[in-house]
Amino acid sequence: MSNIEEDDDAGRLRSFKGVADTILSIVCFLIAVGHIYVAFDPVLSEFQRNAFHFAGFAALAAILYPMWRTGSGKTAPIALDLVLGLAVAASAVWLTFAENAIYDRGVKLAPLDWIATAICVFGAVELTRRVAGLIIPILILLALSYVAFWGKFVSGVFAFPGLSIETVAFRSIYGDDAMFGTIARISSTYVFLFIIFGAFLLRSGAGEFVINMARAVAGKMVGGPGIVAVIASGLTGTISGSAVANTASTGVITIPLMKRAGFQPKFAGGVEAAASTGGQLMPPIMGAGAFVMASFTQIPYEKIVAVAALPALLYFLSVAFFVRIEARRHNLPPMADEGQTMASAFKEGGASFCIPIATLIGMLVAGFTPTYAAVFGILAVIASSWLTKNRMGPKAVFEAFVMGTKGMVLTAVLLCSVGLIVNVIATAGIGNTFSLMISSWAGGNILIALVLIALASLILGMGLPVTAAYIVLATLSAPALSGMISDQFVIAELAAGTLPEAAKAVLLFGVPEQAELLSRELTWAEAASVIQTLPLEIAAPLRDLVVPQPVAMSALLSAHMIIFWLSQDSNVTPPVALAAFTAAAIAKAPAMATGVASWKLAKGLYIVPVLFAYTPFLSGDWPAMIQIFCFAVIGVYGLSAALQGCMEKPFGLIMRVLCFAAGLACLWPAFLVANLAGAAAVVGLLIWNVRFTKSTFAEAAT
């Protein structure tokens, strides 16, 4: 077809022009408007909405992502992909109308139901291969064949008696956690509407405002171009929620700025990748993570994004500290004044960013659902754009809807397809088994559990996008991690001698051989050795008796947030480091060297989860959270200085050791005296460094 252009910049998608592009744009527009209409007027059941959601995006994925592409750039015939897309979409729609008849037959599939189910599952596997690579399709096939065939041949804890093909087929479509279940619901509501909201922000020129404001705030600081990257990436994260998209959009501006200021190309790329990864952690969007987390934990979305704000800010500060220290270490000057001020930035485009974000946050605080908040946020973008030079008329609104729908294709196909894996994990009880294994390997030690989860997330991240890696890991390991965090409260109660009598009875029943030990006052270490070695059948009821509901919910949220944060490391950690490799291409720097730099800069991804595990950083107790945050800021600065060998001036090994010890003391959980001493030491070392440390640059100049 002459209207089809075979290649685009990414080399993966078909791009269209002429009549074909117009038709595709109209389809994208109708899909977006249909989702918004259903959000306000639920004319469809939840299952129908999810199935129609998959149908629309499966058809788009089949058209936009060709079945194959040869080395010369030739793709599969468009007709072949169009037939597949329409077949998958029609099958998904058929299954919504067949549901009642299947139940009326006693959960028996008719021939057409079998055909539609097979096409849907095949479509999910094939389209996921196109948009996300081979790993997820392989996992889907392994999962489905495990419960249907080879699970019965496995020995040990993962043995599974097996289900009939018909049962597997039915549960894959109609199960609560299946293709059109819980995760598809998140995709068809919150995620898509917030992606449309982000597309409207971008189309209104909010991205330009973010860069201009960052330049006005940080341009004249030491290390200003790097700090501009940190601020811009953090604010852009409220729009895109994708580390790679964030890197590509802001990196083309910030990386050349950093290189011109004297930063090494690999460091400039590492800064942008590390800062853009933080965009996934930045409320209110947080990629799709906040919505999935709200569904998994049953904790309100607005509470999750509220308590996630301080940790996200801490992460961005950790990157900014590295940038400033690097600039001081190499004596790099601030940026030249380009005349950009806060007033001029706000005048040019501030309204189209600030008013919609304020509307969104205000509605969430007022108790509106995220769906309503996102829709009114979209309306606020349109209205506020008329206060700027980039006014959104009907054409711009149409383009924003199309942009948002195209940007959702990968996520929609991925989230619906991952439901097939999650459904098998829930059906076979693999999640509980895996959690028990983590508890056993870690021996009740949270730090060891964090290391195991971090390794698992890095391995999964080599083949899975961040959201998929989080979903799989959370399903497998969140129960174990949540239990271990809750056990900290049980240990404290046991050491203090304040266990309820019923809990003491359960404990004595579980460990009768330690009756003598339990009859006296215990140290923390002794109490920990007792609780951490309890079998699950004793530990679980003991937690129910001892741990208050708010503490248990905080532990659950902490477990999921830990997994979510650790799932981000594949963006910045070699050998994958997708965001870092994107930044390396922009910086014209070696990919692996840029990946190492971004991994070093993103140390907050590993430090902050430890705070989640051992402190009430996500408890909703704001005085305690702010106290933890303040000490953590000082501690992270001390650790950054120790790693870089510089504060305001470079220093030697002894100062490095002192800075590292002081920074670690600031972060030490539940030890206020150590926190105060560490903070005082970091501040004292900074003063000493400024006043008494000789500048190597001054000596060199002399």
Side-chain angles (χ1 to χ4, degrees):
M1 292 176 64
S2 60
N3 287 333
I4 299 169
E5 187 178 283
E6 291 294 341
D7 290 295
D8 72 338
D9 292 338
R12 295 178 62 202
L13 303 177
R14 280 193 185 94
S15 58
F16 297 82
K17 57 186 178 180
V19 175
D21 181 58
T22 301
I23 294 172
L24 182 66
S25 296
I26 291 172
V27 171
C28 291
F29 173 77
L30 293 175
I31 289 174
V33 172
H35 278 76
I36 290 177
Y37 179 80
V38 172
F40 276 93
D41 185 10
V43 294
L44 302 174
S45 69
E46 181 176 301
F47 178 82
Q48 289 173 328
R49 182 194 63 218
N50 298 344
F52 288 1
H53 171 76
F54 175 74
F57 282 103
L60 288 178
I63 295 169
L64 290 172
Y65 293 81
M67 186 176 295
W68 69 77
R69 183 182 294 274
T70 65
S72 60
K74 295 296 182 181
T75 63
I78 183 66
L80 180 62
D81 289 323
L82 184 60
V83 168
L84 174 64
L86 292 177
V88 175
S91 298
V93 173
W94 169 268
L95 291 169
T96 66
F97 294 107
E99 182 179 13
N100 290 334
I102 291 173
Y103 282 115
D104 291 341
R105 290 192 296 269
V107 194
K108 298 293 182 183
L109 302 181
L112 284 177
D113 303 333
W114 276 106
I115 294 171
T117 300
I119 292 174
C120 265
V121 173
F122 171 78
V125 172
E126 165 59 15
L127 296 176
T128 304
R129 179 193 67 81
R130 299 187 192 187
V131 304
L134 283 171
I135 300 298
I136 297 177
I138 291 172
L139 290 177
I140 291 173
L141 295 175
L142 286 174
L144 294 177
S145 60
Y146 167 75
V147 292
F149 302 114
W150 58 271
K152 65 188 73 171
F153 301 110
V154 177
S155 59
V157 294
F158 288 110
F160 186 73
L163 300 172
S164 68
I165 304 284
E166 187 171 41
T167 301
V168 173
F170 175 80
R171 291 190 179 185
S172 295
I173 300 297
Y174 297 103
D176 291 339
D177 299 306
M179 275 186 68
F180 307 144
T182 303
I183 300 176
R185 173 178 60 80
I186 299 166
S187 179
S188 66
T189 52
Y190 309 135
V191 175
F192 186 29
L193 292 179
F194 272 84
I195 283 182
I196 294 175
F197 172 68
F200 269 82
L201 282 175
L202 288 172
R203 184 60 183 80
S204 71
E208 297 173 15
F209 161 72
V210 164
I211 296 291
N212 291 337
M213 190 185 75
R215 281 173 141 170
V217 170
K220 298 176 185 178
M221 297 180 181
V222 173
I227 298 174
V228 166
V230 174
I231 296 173
S233 295
L235 293 176
T236 304
T238 65
I239 301 173
S240 70
S242 165
V244 175
N246 204 338
T247 302
S249 60
T250 61
V252 293
I253 298 173
T254 59
I255 291 175
L257 278 178
M258 285 186 274
K259 289 173 67 177
R260 286 205 303 270
F263 289 102
Q264 292 182 338
K266 65 179 182 181
F267 185 84
V271 169
E272 180 57 45
S276 295
T277 297
Q280 292 272 86
L281 311 172
M282 187 71 180
I285 297 180
M286 299 170 64
F291 310 114
V292 178
M293 203 178 298
S295 177
F296 278 179
T297 62
Q298 297 302 301
I299 296 172
Y301 163 82
E302 55 271 22
K303 178 177 180 181
I304 291 175
V305 296
V307 299
L310 284 180
L313 179 57
L314 178 59
Y315 175 83
F316 284 111
L317 285 173
S318 72
V319 180
F321 289 153
F322 270 104
V323 171
R324 180 180 176 85
I325 290 169
E326 183 73 4
R328 282 298 190 189
R329 197 160 69 97
H330 294 287
N331 204 27
L332 302 180
M335 285 173 59
D337 187 1
E338 298 180 356
Q340 187 66 257
T341 65
M342 288 287 288
S344 64
F346 273 94
K347 183 178 179 180
E348 291 176 13
S352 62
F353 180 84
C354 297
I355 293 175
I357 294 294
T359 300
L360 183 73
I361 294 173
M363 291 190 70
L364 291 173
V365 171
F368 288 91
T369 66
T371 302
Y372 269 66
V375 173
F376 279 100
I378 292 168
L379 297 176
V381 175
I382 299 171
S384 61
S385 71
W386 286 80
L387 302 175
T388 71
K389 63 180 181 180
N390 193 15
R391 299 175 178 177
M392 293 189 71
K395 181 181 178 182
V397 170
F398 178 83
E399 290 172 351
F401 275 123
V402 173
M403 186 193 309
T405 303
K406 288 183 178 179
M408 181 65 189
V409 172
L410 184 151
T411 303
V413 170
L414 180 64
L415 290 180
C416 292
S417 300
V418 164
L420 291 169
I421 301 172
V422 174
N423 181 59
V424 169
I425 291 172
T427 299
I430 296 173
N432 290 334
T433 303
F434 193 80
S435 288
L436 288 172
M437 291 172 64
I438 288 181
S439 298
S440 174
W441 293 339
N445 188 304
I446 297 178
L447 203 56
I448 296 175
L450 294 185
V451 171
L452 293 173
I453 293 170
L455 290 173
S457 73
L458 182 59
I459 293 169
L460 282 174
M462 292 180 186
L464 300 183
V466 166
T467 303
Y470 161 66
I471 291 171
V472 173
L473 262 181
T475 308
L476 292 173
S477 58
L481 189 56
S482 173
M484 282 189 273
I485 295 172
S486 292
D487 281 344
Q488 300 302 299
F489 185 88
V490 181
I491 292 168
E493 293 291 295
L494 178 59
T498 54
L499 276 184
E501 291 301 321
K504 290 180 182 178
V506 171
L507 194 55
L508 285 170
F509 177 78
V511 285
E513 68 278 5
Q514 299 198 32
E516 185 276 328
L517 181 66
L518 298 175
S519 65
R520 61 179 176 82
E521 188 174 333
L522 302 180
T523 64
W524 176 277
E526 289 173 331
S529 69
V530 172
I531 299 301
Q532 291 173 352
T533 55
L534 288 175
L536 181 63
E537 60 270 18
I538 301 299
L542 186 64
R543 290 175 199 139
D544 294 339
L545 288 169
V546 178
V547 181
Q549 184 63 19
V551 176
M553 293 303 290
S554 176
L556 180 63
L557 177 58
S558 296
H560 278 268
M561 197 70 79
I562 287 167
I563 295 166
F564 181 66
W565 274 60
L566 293 177
S567 296
Q568 310 299 320
D569 65 353
S570 60
N571 281 317
V572 291
T573 306
V576 184
L578 296 178
F581 293 166
T582 303
I586 299 170
K588 296 180 174 58
M592 203 56 70
T594 305
V596 172
S598 67
W599 173 75
K600 184 178 180 181
L601 285 157
K603 280 295 177 287
L605 285 180
Y606 307 101
I607 294 172
V608 178
V610 176
L611 294 177
F612 292 157
Y614 287 101
T615 70
F617 203 11
L618 298 174
S619 63
D621 181 357
W622 284 97
M625 290 166 58
I626 291 171
Q627 176 182 307
I628 294 166
F629 172 78
C630 292
F631 282 123
V633 168
I634 300 172
V636 167
Y637 177 74
L639 293 177
S640 302
L643 289 172
Q644 295 293 89
C646 179
M647 283 179 158
E648 291 299 289
K649 300 173 186 176
F651 50 69
L653 180 61
I654 295 176
M655 278 280 285
R656 282 192 176 208
V657 173
L658 292 175
C659 276
F660 186 84
L664 200 60
C666 291
L667 297 168
W668 203 265
F671 197 172
L672 183 58
V673 174
N675 300 154
L676 290 169
V682 171
V683 173
L685 290 168
L686 176 60
I687 294 171
W688 175 273
N689 180 253
V690 171
R691 295 189 60 182
F692 301 110
T693 302
K694 292 181 180 180
S695 171
T696 56
F697 303 108
E699 289 177 349
T702 302

